[in-house]
Amino acid sequence: MKGWLKAGWLSVLLLVSSLPVSAAPVVVPATQQFDLTSTAGGRTYRIFVGIPAKPAPADGYRVLYVMDANAMFLTALESVRALERRPDVPKDLATVVVGIGYPEGVDTSVERTLDLTPPGSGSPRIQAPSGGGDAFLAFIERDVKPKVASLAKVDPARQGIFGHSFGGLFVLHALDRRPDLFQSYMAASPSVWFDPAIRDRLASPVVMAAKPRLLVTAGEFEQTPSPSMRVQPNAERMMGVLRERKQVDSARGIADLVGRREGVETRFVEIMGEDHGSVIPSAISRAVYFMLAPPLPVPAVPTAQDYLKMSPEQRYDLRLRVRDLPDVSRIPWLNGLKKTLHAGLTKAQAEALHAERNRMDADNGTRPHEVNADK
C-alpha cells in the first residue's frame, strides 16, 4: 500500500510538472522603460525609471541615477524603496530611480567601455573603444535629465549618481568634470587602473564651488584573493591581476584625495567578504543609504572627566557613533577629544583607555577607522 502511494504521488508530480507554464511577464509596479536617442551622438540607450507611488514633496522627488541599468536597476530600486519604508527615515523621503542601460541586441560590454571611460584612458588588456565619458555625461545632462523632469517633479538640488567598476570610474570622472551636476557621487570599485591620471585630476587644489559628497567602496577580496580563489586552476593569473590593479588601495586613496578638499564630505567603505562581482548588492545598499539617509548628528566632545565617568560600553558606543561620521565631521571631533584628553588625563589613565579601546574592538569584532585623525 505504501509503495502504491509513493508511486501515485510520483505520477501526480510528473503530471503537474508536464503541464504548460504561463509565460506572463513579471511587472514591477510604478516603473517604465523606454529607449532614448542622444541628440548629439545619435546613439540609443534603454532608460529605466521608477517613480514613487507617494506624492512628490514640495521641492520635488530626489533622483538616483544608476549606470549599467540592465544589471543593476532593480537592485537599486528595491534598495531605495526598502529604505523609504523604514520607520526611522523622514516620511517625505521619496526618490525617483533612473537606470541608464542599453537596448537588446547590442554588445553591452563594448558599449559600456566606450561610455564609462574618460577621454584618453585605456589599457592594453581592453581592446574595445574607450574614452567616451564626456559625451555620455553630456547625454545625461542634456537628454536624460530633462526627460526625467518631464515625467515627475524632481528636485535638482538632491540628485545622486552610482556606478560600479567602469561605472565607478565614470562617477569619479563626472565628479572631476561636473561637480555641480549631482550632489552625491557614489563610486563602487572604481576601475582606477584604467585611468590612473584620474588621481591627479581629483587631487587638484582648485576649490570646488559646489560641495558634493563622495562615497567610494571596494570589496575586501578585490585586492587580496579570497580563500576560494586561491584553489582555482587559474588562481595565479587572477591573483596577479588583483595585485596589479590594487582596487582597494586605489579606492581608499581616491577618497583620501577628494577628502582633502575643503568642505567636501567623503567616505570610504571596505566591504568585508566580497569580491569585485559579489560586492555589487552591498555597494548599492551603502550608496542608497549614503545618499538618502538623514545625516547623523555630531555629538558634543566630552571633557576628560566626563569621558572617564562613562562606562566602557558607553565609551564604545560613542566611538562607534563618531566612526560613522563623514571625515569632514569625524576628524575635527577626534582631534578635539585628543586635545582634551591629553590635557586632562594622566599617562596611566590614557594608557588604560587605549587598552580598553583595543579590547572592546577585539571583543565586538570592530576596528578603528583607518583615516588619521590629524590629517
Side-chain angles (χ1 to χ4, degrees):
M1 184 68 175
K2 291 181 180 178
W4 181 86
L5 286 173
K6 290 181 180 178
W9 276 113
L10 179 60
S11 299
V12 172
L13 290 173
L14 290 173
L15 177 62
V16 171
S17 64
S18 65
L19 294 175
V21 178
S22 172
V26 175
V27 177
V28 180
T31 61
Q32 57 183 291
Q33 67 178 45
F34 51 86
D35 290 348
L36 186 65
T37 300
S38 169
T39 54
R43 295 173 62 211
T44 300
Y45 299 85
R46 175 81 33 100
I47 309 299
F48 304 79
V49 181
I51 299 175
K54 63 180 71 174
D59 294 330
Y61 294 116
R62 307 180 191 201
V63 187
L64 171 62
Y65 290 86
V66 180
M67 305 301 100
D68 291 315
N70 303 73
M72 302 189 190
F73 172 73
L74 290 176
T75 303
L77 179 66
E78 181 51 34
S79 295
V80 169
R81 297 295 176 255
L83 181 65
E84 291 175 346
R85 290 192 293 267
R86 286 176 49 157
D88 59 335
V89 301
K91 296 301 182 183
D92 65 345
L93 180 66
T95 303
V96 174
V97 181
V98 180
I100 305 175
Y102 301 94
E104 297 176 4
V106 304
D107 190 330
T108 301
S109 63
V110 171
E111 298 294 313
R112 70 185 295 272
T113 299
L114 176 61
D115 287 329
L116 300 177
T117 55
S121 61
S123 167
R125 293 180 181 271
I126 306 296
Q127 300 302 314
S130 59
D134 281 349
F136 188 57
L137 189 60
F139 167 68
I140 295 174
E141 179 181 15
R142 299 171 187 171
D143 298 311
V144 181
K145 280 197 165 191
K147 179 63 176 179
V148 172
S150 73
L151 299 174
K153 181 181 179 181
V154 299
D155 184 354
R158 295 193 297 179
Q159 304 200 6
I161 181 172
F162 169 84
H164 169 263
S165 194
F166 274 168
L169 177 61
F170 177 74
V171 169
L172 297 178
H173 177 66
L175 175 64
D176 171 50
R177 285 284 202 267
R178 293 296 306 274
D180 60 327
L181 197 56
F182 305 94
Q183 289 69 51
S184 298
Y185 293 75
M186 289 79 71
S189 309
S191 299
V192 176
W193 57 270
F194 196 82
D195 183 26
I198 190 73
R199 297 187 186 94
D200 295 331
R201 297 197 296 273
L202 289 173
S204 169
V206 176
V207 177
M208 294 179 176
K211 299 300 180 185
R213 307 167 71 234
L214 172 66
L215 171 69
V216 187
T217 63
E220 175 188 10
F221 294 137
E222 294 194 60
Q223 185 165 319
T224 302
S226 65
S228 61
M229 176 183 284
R230 295 189 182 102
V231 299
Q232 299 301 318
N234 61 345
E236 285 300 322
R237 184 181 69 83
M238 293 304 299
M239 288 165 63
V241 172
L242 294 184
R243 286 191 292 265
E244 176 187 329
R245 293 185 176 180
K246 299 180 179 178
Q247 286 281 104
V248 179
D249 288 347
S250 295
R252 182 184 289 110
I254 288 290
D256 182 59
L257 285 173
V258 177
R260 296 177 185 178
R261 296 190 175 193
E262 182 180 353
V264 178
E265 178 186 336
T266 64
R267 182 171 299 185
F268 170 73
V269 177
E270 182 178 349
I271 302 174
M272 297 296 101
E274 306 292 354
D275 60 29
H276 191 68
S278 68
V279 78
I280 292 173
S282 297
I284 290 175
S285 175
R286 283 162 173 77
V288 168
Y289 192 85
F290 176 79
M291 176 181 167
L292 301 181
L296 293 173
V298 180
V301 176
T303 66
Q305 295 308 309
D306 286 341
Y307 195 67
L308 278 177
K309 290 177 183 178
M310 294 179 181
S311 68
E313 291 73 20
Q314 289 173 325
R315 285 190 287 266
Y316 176 74
D317 289 343
L318 178 60
R319 288 195 298 271
L320 284 189
R321 288 172 57 196
V322 172
R323 287 176 192 177
D324 207 33
L325 294 172
D327 284 356
V328 68
S329 301
R330 184 182 60 83
I331 292 172
W333 194 97
L334 290 176
N335 285 332
L337 181 66
K338 183 187 300 184
K339 182 178 180 180
T340 189
L341 294 184
H342 179 76
L345 298 181
T346 66
K347 181 179 179 181
Q349 289 172 327
E351 290 176 347
L353 287 174
H354 181 74
E356 174 192 286
R357 185 190 68 184
N358 292 338
R359 184 179 68 254
M360 296 293 287
D361 280 329
D363 291 346
N364 292 279
T366 54
R367 56 183 181 179
H369 202 290
E370 297 185 18
V371 179
N372 292 330
D374 56 356
K375 179 178 75 174

